[in-house]
């Protein structure tokens, strides 16, 4: 390291100098803290893969052990198990990969992003990439197609994320790393995938123009007009975390991508209800994971 290049820790202290006086920093929701050997545990991480559900993230890391040949790193007689506490998030680590659940919605995603990014910096990890590997509702996209986000939009179709801080509303850009999105897209092979904008909402039902929630104050025409307007604006899928993820990665200067499979077409026959069978959903999710694995293989030269 030259006198000009900063260590990951120095970079973080520049982002938030209030961390410097902490003797021990407790990453409360992960059940990890800086009195632990975080460098030994996580210093080699290059890919932080995040998805909503703990089960899916276990499936992902289990597949990585086989398909990326990382199983040889598991000592004989040991099995994959979550690291830290798993009351809120489930975090798995195998070789250069962390697979961690983020729960549903932007508040849950935000907490994970703060703690996982601090973890990467305390661990001295470098050149790491964050990827949200998730599910979404497509717009004129065949179920099973993976959408790689080029720009995140909020529920007002703006390329901004609003946060309330110290009693004020902050409007922050939620741009994606378009080069990374293109790099991932180039790894698609036979997997159905498109590049497109992603709208992130704070709700699954009214926030996504569904008619099948417990409450609903609009009709089918309003729903169709809004979803069509989203499609015309370049939106190809709708989910609940990309805007927060994009905003955080932009501010933290972390290279990040959102790779979500469409599990239904909101402008097609499947409308609002998710009617696919568990087997079909497994295959859809598998498409997103396979695409991310293709990208990891290409990055690692495997
Ligand atoms: C996709 O799926 C979840 C809602 O079912 C939510 O976390 C999202 O973004
Ligand atoms: N996740 C969402 O947020 N919306 C959908 O329609 C499907 C999955």
């Amino acid at each position: 390291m030259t006198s000009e290049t900063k260590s990951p820790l120095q970079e973080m202290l520049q982002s938030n100098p209030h961390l410097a006086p902490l003797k021990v920093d407790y990453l409360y929701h992960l059940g990890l803290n800086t009195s632990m050997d975080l460098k030994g545990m996580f210093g080699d991480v290059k890919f932080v893969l995040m998805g909503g559900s703990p089960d899916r993230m276990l499936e992902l890391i289990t597949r990585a052990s086989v398909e990326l040949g990382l199983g040889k790193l598991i000592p004989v007689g040991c099995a994959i198990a979550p690291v830290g506490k798993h009351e809120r998030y489930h975090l798995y680590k195998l070789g250069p990969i962390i697979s961690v659940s983020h729960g549903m919605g932007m508040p849950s995603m935000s907490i994970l992003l703060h703690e996982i990014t601090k973890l990467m910096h305390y661990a001295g990890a470098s050149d790491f990439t964050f990827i949200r590997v998730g599910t979404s509702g497509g717009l004129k996209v065949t179920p099973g197609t993976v959408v790689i986000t080029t720009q995140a939009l909020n529920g007002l179709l703006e390329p901004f994320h609003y946060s309330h801080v110290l009693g004020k509303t902050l409007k922050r850009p939620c741009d994606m790393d378009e080069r990374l999105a293109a790099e991932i897209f180039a790894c698609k092979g036979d997997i159905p995938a498109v590049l497109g904008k992603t709208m992130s909402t704070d709700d699954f039902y009214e926030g996504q123009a569904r008619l099948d929630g417990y409450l609903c104050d609009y009709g089918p025409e309003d729903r169709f007009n809004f979803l069509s307007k989203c499609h015309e604006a370049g939106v190809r899928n709708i989910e609940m975390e990309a805007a927060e993820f994009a905003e955080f990665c932009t501010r933290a200067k972390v290279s990040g991508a959102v790779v979500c499979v469409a599990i239904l077409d909101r402008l097609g026959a499947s409308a609002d209800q998710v009617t696919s069978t568990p087997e079909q959903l497994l295959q859809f999710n598998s498409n997103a994971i396979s695409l991310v694995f293709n990208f990891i293989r290409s990055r690692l030269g495997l």
Side-chain angles (χ1 to χ4, degrees):
M1 193 172 59
T2 68
S3 54
E4 283 110 58
T5 40
K6 293 192 190 69
S7 72
L9 203 54
Q10 283 168 330
E11 266 178 38
M12 180 171 64
L13 295 179
Q14 207 172 35
S15 303
N16 181 7
H18 309 295
L19 292 172
L22 295 180
K23 285 202 172 62
V24 176
D25 189 356
Y26 293 90
L27 309 177
Y28 166 61
H29 302 87
L30 295 179
L32 299 168
N33 69 67
T34 53
S35 75
M36 299 170 171
D37 178 19
L38 299 180
K39 278 193 167 54
M41 291 160 80
F42 300 106
D44 59 344
V45 169
K46 297 291 175 207
F47 306 97
V48 180
L49 310 181
M50 310 173 191
S53 118
D55 285 359
R56 232 183 316 117
M57 299 328 280
L58 174 58
E59 188 206 330
L60 184 150
I61 204 72
T62 306
R63 275 186 59 179
S65 73
V66 180
E67 295 174 31
L68 300 176
L70 299 173
K72 58 181 182 290
L73 300 173
I74 306 171
V76 175
C78 295
I80 294 172
V83 186
K85 75 174 179 193
H86 37 276
E87 188 187 330
R88 302 290 186 184
Y89 304 109
H90 284 209
L91 187 154
Y92 302 93
K93 153 84 168 64
L94 193 53
I97 299 181
I98 278 180
S99 172
V100 61
S101 63
H102 58 61
M104 283 194 282
M106 296 194 241
S108 184
M109 172 59 103
S110 166
I111 296 169
L112 177 72
L113 284 168
H114 279 279
E115 295 186 13
I116 202 88
T117 312
K118 288 202 287 181
L119 177 64
M120 290 297 91
H121 283 89
Y122 286 130
S126 58
D127 302 322
F128 50 86
T129 301
F130 285 179
I131 305 181
R132 162 162 150 68
V133 193
T135 59
S136 61
L139 290 182
K140 295 197 185 175
V141 157
T142 311
T145 304
V146 182
V147 179
I148 304 158
T149 305
T150 52
Q151 169 75 66
L153 304 178
N154 64 22
L156 300 170
L157 289 176
E158 299 171 332
F160 297 104
H161 178 61
Y162 292 102
S163 315
H164 305 305
V165 179
L166 301 181
K168 294 197 180 83
T169 300
L170 303 181
K171 183 178 176 180
R172 292 168 168 152
C174 45
D175 299 327
M176 296 298 309
D177 180 341
E178 288 202 52
R179 273 175 55 180
L180 177 62
E183 187 182 343
I184 295 174
F185 183 68
C187 298
K188 79 182 202 58
D190 294 336
I191 301 164
V194 295
L195 288 161
K197 294 184 190 176
T198 297
M199 180 172 76
S200 300
T201 65
D202 286 326
D203 172 46
F204 183 80
Y205 289 99
E206 290 177 289
Q208 298 187 8
R210 279 190 156 80
L211 295 170
D212 61 343
Y214 182 66
L215 301 169
C216 182
D217 294 335
Y218 47 80
E221 204 177 309
D222 305 311
R223 169 198 181 279
F224 179 77
N225 289 343
F226 179 65
L227 293 179
S228 301
K229 183 176 160 188
C230 293
H231 184 264
E232 274 156 33
V235 175
R236 293 295 172 267
N237 65 342
I238 306 175
E239 48 76 272
M240 298 177 61
E241 292 86 15
E244 167 66 43
F245 177 92
E247 178 265 309
F248 187 96
C249 289
T250 303
R251 273 205 302 151
K253 300 188 184 69
V254 173
S255 178
V258 174
V259 178
C260 288
V261 72
I263 59 170
L264 76 170
D265 180 0
R266 299 293 314 289
L267 282 167
S270 45
D272 293 346
Q273 297 252 305
V274 181
T275 53
S276 305
T277 62
E279 293 73 29
Q280 284 171 319
L281 291 172
L282 213 61
Q283 180 56 52
F284 296 163
N285 284 320
S286 170
N287 288 351
I289 296 173
S290 298
L291 177 45
V292 170
F293 283 2
N294 284 352
F295 162 73
I296 292 176
R297 275 192 211 95
S298 138
R299 274 277 175 105
L300 296 180
L302 296 176

